[in-house]
Amino acid sequence: MKIRRVLATAVALAVTTPAALLSVSPAYADAKPTAQTQEKQSKPTIKELEEAAAEAQKAYDKAVKAEAAGRIELEKTLDDLSEVNGTHPLAVASAAAKQTAEDAAAAKTAADQAVTGAKAALDALTEDATEEERTAAETALSEAEATATAAATAKTAADTAAAEAREKLDDARVAAVRAYGVLQNAAENALAVKAAADAALAKAIKEAEEAGEGEEGEEGGDCEPELDLTSKVTGLPDKLVAGTSTDFSLRVTNGSDRHMDEVLAFVSVHATDTSGLKDTEKFFRLQWSTKSAPKWQNADPDNYIDGVGALKPGAHADVKLRLTLDKATPAGNGVAFFAADFFNEDGTCGGAPELDMYEFDVKAAGSKPGKTDDAKPSKTTRPGNTGTTPQGSASGTPATTSTNGSLAATGSSSATTSIALAGGAAVLLGAAAVFVVRRRKTGADA
């Protein structure tokens, strides 16, 4: 039974990725995953999986505590923002503006009544009224009308000011609730990581028991690291704009002295913004073509591209790639992982022990990318596939989860609570995916 690299990636990430602290402060929402290196192994041992499950449990416990603390802060913040008895400056300002509007409305009503009375007094004059009496009545009406006009203008201004103050107050309430929503989603995502780590441990124990391998979970296999099988990307910009497409290429090179019967390129792309992992398939569309398969073909966001074929020693093959961003893609970041594996008919297999990671900025639709350069690769711990072989690219796409909720400045401490999450990558429910969450400062992509 062939196993996709992305599943092996999930297990290894649970072992190799340490816990990292991400801040939900709207002013400092920037976090990068902490790199960690360790000796590459063909497969994580049961002991390592136990440690990973323990770390996932700790991260979940922290997220639950942060969510509980956030709820208390939310309730306090909403009390402070109450228009009735709230002590927050926005609540005080809104209440004062509301009272001013009510007073202006009462003044206008009184002025309108004065106009009505002045008109009635003028109309009540008899024919034998003196010129002085008639002049006095007309003057009183004119003054009452002027007062009424001024009162109407004051009421309009007071109503506008009250509406603006109320809108600011409502925005602050919404922002507080959204900030708390980030904590809720963090706890849910931490639970997903914990469930996946527990499942990986249970599966490893079961396989070890079935194979009679005992607690150490040692496995045989003919797959091995192959440093001379490389994958290099050229032409991928470090800035992309939503609603546009970009073409780039991936060159897979067999720099070894062995013949490789089947070479597959692994590609993993993900979109993120300040709220976390996005629905990549909704916003990103990745296509590929090769000399042997020149028509553009859709690629899953986490899967193998099978158009490379066999490679002789020293030979290479180029894969053309096209990444299209939907117009609705939110401003944030993108990350792409690349690797190559070989599989021979005699059962031998292997690949480079590290993934090549390329990060790029995502600009909102209609933005100008400005000066762009090619995205630079960096190495990240690659889950070993030695001892396994991949499932083909026709397999299903792994499930994904996302973190919802946006942040806005409210002046409330609920918007600056720090929460603990599991590193810069997570194991997704149902399968797994590799992703990097890079949170930039508010307004960086405005």
Side-chain angles (χ1 to χ4, degrees):
M1 180 78 179
K2 292 186 175 182
I3 302 174
R4 293 178 64 195
R5 167 182 294 281
V6 68
L7 297 180
T9 300
V11 176
L13 276 174
V15 177
T16 61
T17 305
L21 188 67
L22 300 184
S23 170
V24 298
S25 167
Y28 300 97
D30 185 22
K32 297 180 180 179
T34 303
Q36 176 177 330
T37 59
Q38 66 175 36
E39 183 180 357
K40 308 301 184 298
Q41 304 183 67
S42 61
K43 194 172 184 179
T45 65
I46 289 179
K47 181 180 179 181
E48 289 172 325
L49 290 173
E50 288 175 339
E51 293 173 352
E55 287 297 317
Q57 179 68 55
K58 290 180 182 179
Y60 173 64
D61 291 341
K62 290 181 180 179
V64 170
K65 289 182 180 179
E67 189 272 339
R71 177 180 289 276
I72 295 174
E73 289 294 333
L74 174 63
E75 293 174 353
K76 180 179 181 301
T77 298
L78 292 181
D79 286 341
D80 291 342
L81 292 172
S82 172
E83 195 174 29
V84 179
N85 298 313
T87 58
H88 192 282
L90 291 177
V92 174
S94 180
K98 180 181 180 182
Q99 185 61 53
T100 299
E102 291 176 352
D103 293 343
K108 181 179 181 301
T109 298
D112 290 341
Q113 291 174 347
V115 170
T116 301
K119 286 183 178 179
L122 180 62
D123 293 340
L125 292 176
T126 60
E127 292 182 356
D128 58 351
T130 65
E131 186 66 25
E132 290 79 4
E133 291 175 333
R134 186 170 297 279
T135 299
E138 291 174 345
T139 300
L141 175 59
S142 177
E143 291 176 348
E145 289 176 337
T147 300
T149 299
T153 301
K155 180 180 182 301
T156 298
D159 288 343
T160 300
E164 292 175 349
R166 180 56 183 268
E167 183 178 3
K168 291 179 180 179
L169 183 63
D170 289 342
D171 287 345
R173 291 170 178 165
V174 171
V177 173
R178 286 178 174 173
Y180 172 65
V182 173
L183 299 178
Q184 284 184 309
N185 288 319
E188 293 174 0
N189 290 342
L191 178 59
V193 174
K194 175 183 176 299
D198 290 342
L201 174 60
K203 181 179 179 181
I205 292 175
K206 181 179 179 181
E207 290 178 348
E209 290 174 347
E210 291 176 349
E213 294 173 340
E215 286 296 321
E216 293 300 321
E218 298 175 358
E219 291 193 12
D222 296 321
C223 286
E224 60 187 37
E226 178 51 78
L227 297 175
D228 293 323
L229 179 59
T230 60
S231 56
K232 181 179 180 181
V233 170
T234 56
L236 176 63
D238 59 0
K239 299 182 185 67
L240 297 176
V241 178
T244 65
S245 297
T246 186
D247 290 352
F248 57 104
S249 62
L250 172 69
R251 170 163 290 188
V252 178
T253 302
N254 176 12
S256 72
D257 58 0
R258 75 172 94 187
H259 179 85
M260 298 178 181
D261 296 332
E262 181 183 15
V263 176
L264 301 179
F266 176 75
V267 181
S268 177
V269 292
H270 296 278
T272 70
D273 65 6
T274 55
S275 65
L277 178 69
K278 311 307 294 181
D279 184 351
T280 297
E281 290 189 74
K282 177 180 179 182
F283 298 116
F284 284 3
R285 181 189 182 195
L286 183 67
Q287 296 175 289
W288 65 273
S289 70
T290 61
K291 184 177 181 180
S292 60
K295 292 185 178 180
W296 287 108
Q297 302 183 49
N298 292 330
D300 288 340
D302 292 285
N303 218 328
Y304 282 97
I305 292 175
D306 56 10
V308 178
L311 283 181
K312 298 178 180 179
H316 68 263
D318 292 323
V319 180
K320 294 181 180 179
L321 295 169
R322 173 173 293 169
L323 182 59
T324 301
L325 280 62
D326 189 90
K327 288 184 178 180
T329 304
N333 302 89
V335 62
F337 296 88
F338 299 91
D341 295 329
F342 74 90
F343 306 92
N344 289 335
E345 294 179 359
D346 61 6
T348 58
C349 55
E354 291 184 318
L355 290 164
D356 290 317
M357 181 176 70
Y358 294 78
E359 298 176 76
F360 52 88
D361 293 337
V362 176
K363 305 292 186 181
S367 301
K368 299 295 183 181
K371 181 180 179 181
T372 62
D373 295 310
D374 282 357
K376 305 300 182 184
S378 58
K379 297 292 184 181
T380 186
T381 300
R382 175 187 185 183
N385 71 317
T386 53
T388 66
T389 53
Q391 181 173 326
S393 60
S395 62
T397 302
T400 61
T401 58
S402 63
T403 302
N404 296 318
S406 59
L407 302 174
T410 66
S412 167
S413 59
S414 68
T416 57
T417 305
S418 292
I419 59 175
L421 299 179
V427 181
L428 304 184
L429 286 175
V434 182
F435 72 95
V436 171
V437 178
R438 299 185 63 201
R439 312 184 82 176
R440 53 179 63 226
K441 293 182 180 180
T442 301
D445 288 315

